[in-house]
Amino acid sequence: MIRFHAQQATLDAAAPDADAPRTITGIAVPWGVAATVSDGTPVKFLRGAFDVNAKPAKLIENHDMTQLRGTVTELVDAEDGLLFTARFAKTKAADEAIELVKAGAYDAVSVGAQPVKFKYDKEGTMVVSEARLLELSLVPYGAFEEAKIESIAASAEEEEIPTPAEEVGNTDPQDTPKENPDMSEQTPEVVEATIPTTPLPAQPKREFKMPSAADYLAAMHIGGDTFRKVNEAFVEAQKASRSVLQAAAGDQITTDTPGLLPVPVLGPVFQDINYIRPFVTAIGARAYPDGGATKTFIRPTITTHTQVAEQTNELGAGGAQTMVIAANTITKKTFSGTVTLSAQDIDFTSPPAMQQILNDLMGQYMIVTDNFAVDSFVTASTTIGQWDGTPEDLILFLYGAARDISNGTNFFPTHILMGADAWAKVGSTVDADKRPLFPAIGAPGLGGYNTLGAGNVTNWSTTNPLGLQIIVDSNVAAKTMVVFHAPAAEYYEQVRGLMSVEVPSKVAREFTYYGYASFFLAKSTFAQKITYA
C-alpha cells in the first residue's frame, strides 16, 4: 500500500453549542515525488492519477479496516497534489480519534492507494498514471516530521464544511463523489511506502481566550502567529503557575508535578534519552503480509538446493537432487506501554507536559522493540569464537567471519553490530608500536600504516574494520559483536499507535501505545558472533 503524508495541523475548537470538530483536510498525495516501497521499487504518481469523483475512500486508523472512523468526502486535483477533506462519523470511537487528533497524538495521515495503470522509467521508477484511492488513515507519526494533518475544522449542524478547494483558494466546486466505471483490468498487488510532501501554510481559524491542553499542543505544532496568540492567552491566565510535568511511567497525579509552585521554570524538559533504533534502522522494518491480519505467517527458506553435474558419458546421469524448502513460522509479539494521567495533571499543568509524556511512551516503544530485535538476532547468530584482545586475533576473527559468510554462498558481510563497550575496545586496539589498528585513513604521522578502516569519534559508522558498516547499539550484550550479511536479518513491524480512554472512577485519562513486531534470521551462518573476555 503506497503511503503519503499530509500537512501540519490547525486546530479550530467548536463553540460551546456546536458539534465537536469532525473534518480534517490536507494533501493526500504529492505529484511527481518518488517513494520507495517495501520491495525497494520507487513509485511516483502523475497529476490526474486519481478520479476525484470515484467512490469515497474510507477514513480509518492505522491502516486497519476494522477501525472505521468515517469517509473521505472531497478530493481536489490541485497543482501541488491530491487535496482531501475527510469527515468523522458520529461514533464513540470516532470521538476518541478526534480527541487524539486535537491532542496532537494523531498528527499525520497516510493513504492506501492501488496502482491501476503504470509504466517504468529508465531509472526503474514505477510511474503511475491511474490509481484507486482505497483508504485514508490516521497515524501517530510518519517517516518524515513535516508530514502532518493540515487542519481539523469545527462544525455545527448548520455550518458549511470547508473543502480543500476553499482552503487553497480554488473556487471551482467538485461534483458529488460517484463510482468510476472505467477501471483498468490490470490490478497489481498493493505496495507500501512513505514519502514527504510540501508543507501547506497553516491557517489560524480563531483567537483563543483560554486554551485547553489540546489547543496548546496543536498550536505548538503550527507555530507562527497561531502559537503566539495561544501562548499569550495562556501566559495571561497562568502567570503564576508555569510548570513542567515530570515524565514518569504508570499513574500521574499532582504530587508528581511540583512545578505547580509559582516559580519560573525554564523549559523544555531536558531529554536524556535519544529515542533511536540503530539496529532496526540499519536493517529496515518490513510490513507484515496481508496487512498484518493474522497472528502468524510462513517465511520459506531453502534447506537443500537442486544439483547440476557434468554428464560423463552419453545417456549417463547428470545431477539430480530435489529442492527442500522449510516452512518457518513467524509469530507476532505485542509490545505496549500505558500511562494514566489525572485530570488535574492535564488541567493544571503546562500543556506541553502531556505531550512530553506521550513522546516518552512512544520513545520507550522504540527502545524496547529495538532491544527485542537485537536480542533475537544475537541469539540466532552462529558463535565463531572468543577474541583474546590482541590485534592479531581480532583480524583473524574478522576475516574468519567474512570467510564463513561467503563460503559456498558468494555473499559477503555488510555490517558489524556491537555495543558501545565493544566499539571502544575495537577502536582503541593498537599494534605493537602503539599505532591504532583502525585509524582514520591518511592520519598524519602514520605513514600509511593500519589503514584498513576509517575513524571519526562523532560518527561511529565510519570506524570500519574491513570496510564494514558499524552499528553501535546500547541494546547489544556486553563484550559481544556480530559480523553479518544484512539482507538475512528480517524485522517485521505493525505500529498500531496510541489509544486512549477516560477513567471516570479515577478522574483520569489512560493512554496506551502499542504495536506488533517479529524477527527472523534467514540463515544463521550469515551472522557470525564474536565475544571477548
Side-chain angles (χ1 to χ4, degrees):
M1 188 171 293
I2 301 174
R3 296 178 181 175
F4 296 85
H5 293 272
Q7 307 301 317
Q8 191 162 0
T10 300
L11 177 66
D12 185 8
D17 58 347
D19 290 342
R22 307 217 70 86
T23 63
I24 54 174
T25 62
I27 291 183
V29 178
W31 306 132
V33 179
T36 301
V37 300
S38 57
D39 66 353
T41 302
V43 180
K44 64 181 176 182
F45 289 92
L46 301 179
R47 184 173 182 179
F50 294 91
D51 181 3
V52 297
N53 296 317
K55 182 179 179 180
K58 311 300 182 185
L59 176 64
I60 63 177
E61 290 188 60
N62 297 300
H63 298 283
D64 186 349
M65 279 297 182
T66 66
Q67 300 188 52
L68 288 172
R69 301 295 177 255
T71 57
V72 177
T73 58
E74 179 95 16
L75 294 175
V76 175
D77 192 324
E79 181 177 352
D80 292 335
L82 182 69
L83 307 183
F84 75 90
T85 292
R87 174 181 282 274
F88 289 94
K90 292 185 178 181
T91 64
K92 182 178 179 180
D95 291 342
E96 291 181 354
I98 289 171
E99 289 302 313
L100 291 175
V101 174
K102 289 169 62 179
Y106 280 145
D107 60 355
V109 294
S110 176
V111 301
Q114 184 178 51
V116 176
K117 292 182 180 179
F118 58 90
K119 62 182 180 180
Y120 291 90
D121 61 18
K122 60 183 181 180
E123 286 80 25
T125 300
M126 177 191 289
V127 181
V128 181
S129 57
E130 182 180 339
R132 179 188 175 196
L133 183 62
L134 302 177
E135 49 90 356
L136 179 76
S137 284
L138 301 169
V139 291
Y141 62 88
F144 300 90
E145 186 63 27
E146 68 271 25
K148 305 292 180 185
I149 296 170
E150 190 274 331
S151 70
I152 174 169
S155 63
E157 289 296 333
E158 67 274 9
E159 290 178 335
E160 181 178 353
I161 304 301
T163 67
E166 294 167 344
E167 292 288 338
V168 297
N170 186 347
T171 57
D172 293 333
Q174 299 296 320
D175 295 334
T176 302
K178 60 184 180 179
E179 180 130 13
N180 178 19
D182 296 323
M183 299 297 290
S184 169
E185 293 182 358
Q186 183 179 11
T187 307
E189 181 181 356
V190 177
V191 291
E192 297 184 355
T194 342
I195 196 165
T197 61
T198 304
L200 291 178
Q203 299 295 327
K205 306 289 185 179
R206 67 174 177 90
E207 294 185 6
F208 297 93
K209 294 182 179 179
M210 178 56 200
S212 67
D215 292 335
Y216 198 100
L217 289 173
M220 184 172 60
H221 277 292
I222 299 167
D225 190 58
T226 298
F227 179 69
R228 180 184 61 78
K229 291 179 180 179
V230 174
N231 193 53
E232 287 175 356
F234 176 75
V235 171
E236 184 66 25
Q238 294 277 40
K239 287 181 179 179
S241 61
R242 295 189 187 119
S243 60
V244 179
L245 185 63
Q246 293 179 334
D251 294 352
Q252 293 286 152
I253 60 176
T254 53
T255 55
D256 296 320
T257 56
L260 292 175
L261 295 176
V263 294
V265 177
L266 179 63
V269 175
F270 175 73
Q271 189 66 54
D272 63 347
I273 298 177
N274 191 11
Y275 299 128
I276 59 174
R277 302 194 292 184
F279 181 60
V280 170
T281 299
I283 64 174
R286 306 183 182 211
Y288 281 108
D290 299 326
T294 59
K295 186 175 182 178
T296 62
F297 66 97
I298 299 299
R299 186 67 175 92
T301 56
I302 300 174
T303 57
T304 303
H305 287 268
T306 57
Q307 187 181 70
V308 174
E310 178 187 359
Q311 185 185 37
T312 57
N313 52 70
E314 292 186 17
L315 302 179
Q321 186 164 279
T322 301
M323 175 179 284
V324 178
I325 299 178
N328 302 286
T329 300
I330 309 300
T331 303
K332 289 184 181 178
K333 293 184 179 294
T334 304
F335 297 88
S336 69
T338 299
V339 63
T340 301
L341 300 180
S342 72
Q344 293 87 347
D345 260 342
I346 296 174
D347 294 339
F348 298 162
T349 61
S350 175
M354 182 172 71
Q355 188 63 49
Q356 180 72 24
I357 291 175
L358 297 182
N359 285 343
D360 190 67
L361 193 61
M362 298 176 194
Q364 293 301 322
Y365 169 87
M366 295 178 66
I367 292 172
V368 169
T369 50
D370 184 74
N371 183 64
F372 157 71
V374 168
D375 287 350
S376 300
F377 174 63
V378 174
T379 300
S381 62
T382 299
T383 300
I384 191 173
Q386 187 176 80
W387 170 36
D388 65 9
T390 65
E392 297 84 355
D393 203 45
L394 177 59
I395 295 297
L396 180 65
F397 273 118
L398 290 175
Y399 274 100
R403 173 202 63 214
D404 290 351
I405 291 171
S406 183
N407 190 29
T409 69
N410 293 325
F411 285 107
F412 300 95
T414 58
H415 293 69
I416 181 169
L417 172 69
M418 58 179 68
D421 65 319
W423 172 81
K425 176 76 171 176
V426 170
S428 60
T429 299
V430 297
D431 64 16
D433 294 321
K434 306 301 182 183
R435 297 172 300 198
L437 196 62
F438 301 108
I441 294 177
L446 290 181
Y449 292 102
N450 302 342
T451 56
L452 286 175
N456 180 351
V457 73
T458 64
N459 185 355
W460 288 348
S461 65
T462 61
T463 307
N464 300 340
L466 310 186
L468 298 172
Q469 181 73 32
I470 281 190
I471 307 169
V472 179
D473 195 313
S474 60
N475 287 315
V476 179
K479 301 179 179 180
T480 301
M481 45 191 165
V482 183
V483 178
F484 68 103
H485 177 66
E490 300 179 355
Y491 175 78
Y492 296 86
E493 184 174 54
Q494 183 182 31
V495 178
R496 298 308 304 271
L498 196 68
M499 64 170 61
S500 73
V501 63
E502 291 184 351
V503 187
S505 64
K506 294 185 177 181
V507 193
R509 176 170 284 272
E510 185 174 276
F511 296 88
T512 295
Y513 192 85
Y514 77 109
Y516 305 120
S518 305
F519 182 83
F520 176 63
L521 182 60
K523 191 177 181 68
S524 63
T525 56
F526 275 5
Q528 299 289 325
K529 180 170 63 177
I530 303 169
T531 60
Y532 61 93

